[in-house]
Amino acid sequence: MDSLFLNPLIRLSLPPRFRANPVKYSCLYVSFLHPSVFSNNIARRTRRTRRRRNPTISVRLGDTGEPKQQLNLSVLRFTLGIPGFDESYLPRWIGYAFGSLLFLNHFVGSRSYTTAAQFRSEALGVSLAAFSVALPYFGKFLKGATPVDQAALPEGNKQIFIMSESLSDIQKEDLAWATYILLRNTNTMSVLISVGDALCVRGYWGAPEDVSKASELDWFERQIQQIGFSDLRDTLYFPQTSDSAFSEMLPRGTQSLLVQPVLGAPKLGLDDTQEITGGFILLASSMSYAYSDRDRAWIGAISNKFRIMRVNS
Amino acid sequence: MKRLMEAGSLLRPISWMPRPLPIRRLFFPNFPRSVKASSKFPGAGYRGPKPKRDWVAEWVSRNDDVVRSLPIYVGGFSLFVVLFNRAASGIAPVADASSSQSRADLLTLGLAVTNVLTGLVWLSIRPKSISLVNPQGVECQKICSDLPDYVVSELLWMWESLSVVTCCRSLVIVYEGSCLLQIGVAAESNGGNTMEVDAPKLIQGLLYQGVVKSGAQSYLANLSLYPGKSELPFLPSNTQAVILQPLGDKGIAIIGGDTIRGFTTADQAWITLIAEKLDATLSRFATNLTVTMQD
């Protein structure tokens, strides 16, 4: 725990994202030009895997009593094998490419006037292209979809770790630990915890250059007063960039924002060393849709830790 | 050996919270007794924007199955339409790129196939839903009686967080040779009483030794497959998954869940970090205890 104080610059390493083993079937993509061959390939491969024991789907009928058997389609995960290339966005690029080729074909390709049949075909093609472009956006909200692109740290921010002076050691330790755990376990690049009189800011923030180190805390306090975060009662989650009222306070390049109020009375009785406080936790991330339901549940659990603060050390 | 007391006699009774409630609703007030005097009208002071409801995201998450197979239907339908269009217009169905009609058809076919493949990929990556198994046993809330309030509140906070956010249904914390906390559903011993945790026996067992020596969390995703299950008789017999988390080198936290592979990697990471904090708190309490005993 000492390392939390001695080393304010922590590595913002994101937890490893689980990715299923991709199977290289790049030939599947080329074979669409020959529809008959393609369908045979698909049929052959799926027949083979249905006979093979596939470890990824291991539940058998009768073990847990699941009524419907799930189709074993895991053979169809494919990748082009290029590192850093996200295949889930492939339909979007193909939609753009083929759509533009369709337009090219319409205006440049035909020597005579376009027949009605061609017009119908092209209309269908363009609407399909638009649908393909929209597909990755819908795919993001499906269950089990993980954001594959790692959060990139935007320019223009500097890493800071400041805390109110007038806190006991135990409070400082609690705040340092909470900010550390939030930065480490979620896709967060900046965190601010304000509980009662205590304020702790950690991560990458873009405070203006003319604010001196000593008065950075006051600058944050003023921003908070202006927006009125302390009186919040509901959790606010902005999954995409909002223009806004608080873009001056937030670091540059923030895409999603989560503000979690610290609420409610604890279950235990209080004694003299404890007091009830109000406050909030603010998390900013450089990715959009950065916080899943489970992330938000855990952040709510962390905020409950600050419902009571120990005043005597 | 420290005597375990029922929590109700030392503190206010802890209400048993049903698990599926989202964490926001659980801690809805009880308004605090002393409110910070920043504003007399709670809620009126916030002047920022409120987030809009994301209709697309909600619709997609509610109709997950339909959305997954939607591209397949769209792609298949377009395939038929293209071929039908060709046939109905009297053009021979040849797949060459000579006329612009053929080129347009080929591009549309390519898009249709993309959609079908995307639909198949989405179907193949659907996460398997595993049903939960209610643990058989009796509810218990036992906390060691000599602990100071700050340790008790930290332990109870850990239990609240785990039981609400994850699939945890039982929690046992053993530290420095004695059981500090046994909460949740526990195995039933004769006569409807809860089976107590035999801490010395647990500490001598292989499970504890292995976990504390390696210092790393051990996740038994499907407890029925592990022979070490016999060392945990205090957990309900049909506990599905167990996480064994060492607390430094002096203790262990045993977290039992009701779903096979119910703890995600994110949950594991959170549990590891929370356990480190708990270890720091408990070791501070332990050193305070030895200091006062030496005085």
Side-chain angles (χ1 to χ4, degrees), chain A residues 115-188:
Chain A
T115 59
Q118 181 175 347
F119 198 67
R120 278 196 291 270
S121 200
E122 283 176 356
L124 180 66
V126 167
S127 44
L128 262 185
F131 185 70
S132 303
V133 163
L135 273 184
Y137 174 67
F138 290 120
K140 222 172 10 183
F141 304 119
L142 291 173
K143 278 197 272 281
T146 50
V148 183
D149 37 322
Q150 301 289 315
L153 288 173
E155 302 290 317
N157 300 318
K158 55 186 200 308
Q159 196 173 29
I160 60 176
F161 181 15
I162 53 180
M163 223 189 290
S164 303
E165 297 302 320
S166 56
L167 298 175
S168 67
D169 280 342
I170 295 190
Q171 288 173 322
K172 284 192 181 162
E173 196 178 298
D174 279 345
L175 285 171
W177 173 79
T179 45
Y180 171 70
I181 195 176
L182 286 168
L183 283 168
R184 174 115 175 248
N185 264 351
T186 55
N187 294 320
T188 307

Side-chain angles (χ1 to χ4, degrees), chain A residues 12-62:
Chain A
L12 292 182
S13 61
L14 302 165
R17 297 276 172 203
F18 173 71
R19 208 169 171 185
N21 270 332
V23 179
K24 287 199 178 24
Y25 280 113
S26 40
C27 58
L28 262 184
Y29 225 72
V30 177
S31 57
F32 79 88
L33 286 172
H34 308 276
S36 54
V37 177
F38 165 74
S39 53
N40 279 347
N41 277 344
I42 282 287
R44 246 184 276 131
R45 285 187 209 276
T46 41
R47 258 183 264 131
R48 267 214 298 272
T49 35
R50 280 210 193 101
R51 268 186 258 129
R52 197 167 31 143
R53 290 269 173 274
N54 194 320
T56 54
I57 301 187
S58 56
V59 171
R60 314 266 303 129
L61 272 184

Side-chain angles (χ1 to χ4, degrees), chain A residues 121 143 174 294 301 304, chain B residues 27 47 68 105 157 267 277:
Chain A
S121 200
K143 278 197 272 281
D174 279 345
R294 193 156 275 233
N304 287 326
Chain B
F27 304 115
R47 285 171 286 278
R68 279 185 200 266
D105 278 345
W157 168 77
D267 291 340
K277 175 76 164 57

Side-chain angles (χ1 to χ4, degrees), chain A residues 257-308:
Chain A
L257 177 70
L258 176 67
V259 186
Q260 169 81 41
V262 174
L263 282 181
K267 306 273 182 245
L268 309 176
L270 296 175
D271 59 12
D272 295 326
T273 60
Q274 297 167 330
E275 65 170 16
I276 303 179
T277 53
F280 67 97
I281 297 182
L282 184 147
L283 298 165
S285 170
S286 54
M287 288 166 56
S288 56
Y289 294 96
Y291 302 108
S292 64
D293 286 337
R294 193 156 275 233
D295 284 339
R296 278 180 275 158
W298 275 113
I299 292 168
I302 297 279
S303 74
N304 287 326
K305 197 162 192 344
F306 291 103
R307 278 176 307 181
I308 51 173

Side-chain angles (χ1 to χ4, degrees), chain B residues 70-215:
Chain B
L70 190 64
I72 301 182
Y73 293 125
V74 167
F77 176 70
S78 322
L79 270 173
F80 280 125
V81 167
V82 164
L83 293 174
F84 182 71
N85 186 39
R86 279 215 108 145
S89 329
I91 314 168
V94 283
D96 63 345
S98 53
S99 71
S100 57
Q101 166 78 37
S102 306
R103 282 195 292 269
D105 278 345
L106 278 176
L107 289 172
T108 311
L109 276 178
L111 283 168
V113 164
T114 308
N115 279 321
V116 168
L117 284 180
T118 307
L120 289 173
V121 167
W122 282 359
L123 278 179
S124 75
I125 62 175
R126 170 170 37 199
K128 196 159 31 120
S129 57
I130 307 180
S131 50
L132 61 84
V133 173
N134 265 318
Q136 280 170 338
V138 287
E139 301 282 341
C140 76
Q141 297 155 7
K142 292 192 172 147
I143 302 187
C144 170
S145 51
D146 304 351
L147 298 174
D149 273 343
Y150 69 93
V151 174
V152 169
S153 66
E154 175 127 3
L155 290 172
L156 289 177
W157 168 77
M158 185 172 172
W159 163 244
E160 270 180 30
S161 316
L162 283 175
S163 62
V164 171
V165 182
T166 67
C167 68
C168 164
R169 299 296 287 271
S170 337
L171 177 64
V172 167
I173 297 194
V174 171
Y175 198 76
E176 285 197 335
S178 56
C179 173
L180 297 186
L181 177 76
Q182 184 183 9
I183 201 168
V185 186
E188 200 175 330
S189 71
N190 36 343
N193 301 325
T194 56
M195 183 164 309
E196 304 240 335
V197 178
D198 189 352
K201 186 155 163 237
L202 179 70
I203 290 175
Q204 277 149 22
L206 285 172
L207 220 54
Y208 178 89
Q209 299 282 339
V211 158
V212 167
K213 196 154 68 146
S214 71

Side-chain angles (χ1 to χ4, degrees), chain A residues 197-210:
Chain A
D197 286 326
L199 180 67
C200 178
V201 184
R202 194 166 183 176
Y204 287 89
W205 286 90
E209 290 301 321
D210 52 353

